[in-house]
Amino acid sequence: MFIHIQFSRNNPFDFSTFNSVNFSKFKDKPIVTCHHLNDCAETWTMTSLKGTPRLIPYKNGNIIRPFLLVSKKEIEDYCERKNIEYSQDLTNFDVNIPRNRIRHNVMNELLLVNPGFFRMLREKIKESIKKEIYASF
């Protein structure tokens, strides 16, 4: 997760409590997250290992995730080119958290076994977004 450094300075936030935040006061306003392709890969891999593969939805109520087709590296490269500072949730490095274990220990091996994994996942995400759009009509 990337947070613009100025925002994080002005709005300190404990990311470990993100899921307990009450977003209902924002129900009439869009909430845009920076979930990206790598997050989708981790989620899909983790849920597949549990027998219930799923993707992160593009939209869930007023929460919108416009970067699902963009890799973490593409976002980091963009920030570097545009001189945009960002911070990361320090818990992202704790491999005792299952998602992080997948991020740091499984994903590189998965990409060696299937170098086209992200390409396949992008297609699944595109298909999922199309279904979400058609379902909204």
Side-chain angles (χ1 to χ4, degrees), residues 15-16 87-95 97 100 103-104:
F15 290 100
S16 64
S87 61
Q88 290 194 52
D89 174 4
L90 293 179
T91 66
N92 282 344
F93 302 99
D94 181 355
V95 293
I97 298 171
N100 296 341
R103 176 181 302 129
H104 296 289

Side-chain angles (χ1 to χ4, degrees), residues 29 31 33 35 39 47-48 71 86 98 100 106 112 125 128 135:
K29 298 180 174 104
I31 298 172
T33 73
H35 287 99
D39 293 320
T47 56
S48 293
S71 73
Y86 61 88
N100 296 341
V106 175
L112 288 174
I125 294 166
S128 176

Side-chain angles (χ1 to χ4, degrees), residues 18-134:
F18 181 78
N19 290 329
S20 66
V21 172
N22 180 0
F23 288 106
S24 63
K25 64 182 173 183
F26 302 108
K27 66 183 175 188
D28 297 329
K29 298 180 174 104
I31 298 172
V32 179
T33 73
C34 198
H35 287 99
H36 47 70
L37 182 61
N38 300 63
D39 293 320
C40 286
E42 294 159 10
T43 296
W44 191 85
T45 301
M46 188 166 63
T47 56
S48 293
L49 292 171
K50 293 178 179 180
T52 54
R54 70 173 188 85
L55 296 169
I56 297 173
Y58 172 77
K59 188 174 187 293
N60 185 2
N62 63 327
I63 298 173
I64 303 166
R65 300 172 184 93
F67 302 105
L68 295 181
L69 296 171
V70 182
S71 73
K72 179 179 178 178
K73 180 163 181 13
E74 289 172 298
I75 294 170
E76 289 173 335
D77 289 349
Y78 178 85
C79 288
E80 187 176 319
R81 280 193 318 276
K82 300 293 184 179
N83 242 358
I84 299 171
E85 293 183 54
Y86 61 88
S87 61
Q88 290 194 52
D89 174 4
L90 293 179
T91 66
N92 282 344
F93 302 99
D94 181 355
V95 293
N96 293 312
I97 298 171
R99 171 185 281 291
N100 296 341
R101 184 167 295 197
I102 287 171
R103 176 181 302 129
H104 296 289
N105 299 331
V106 175
M107 292 310 299
N108 287 336
E109 291 296 319
L110 190 150
L111 291 169
L112 288 174
V113 172
N114 182 0
F117 179 71
F118 282 115
R119 187 172 43 255
M120 175 276 299
L121 198 57
R122 267 193 182 104
E123 291 307 312
K124 285 188 168 298
I125 294 166
K126 286 178 190 176
E127 184 179 311
S128 176
I129 291 171
K130 284 179 189 175
K131 285 179 183 175
E132 287 182 56
I133 290 169
Y134 290 131

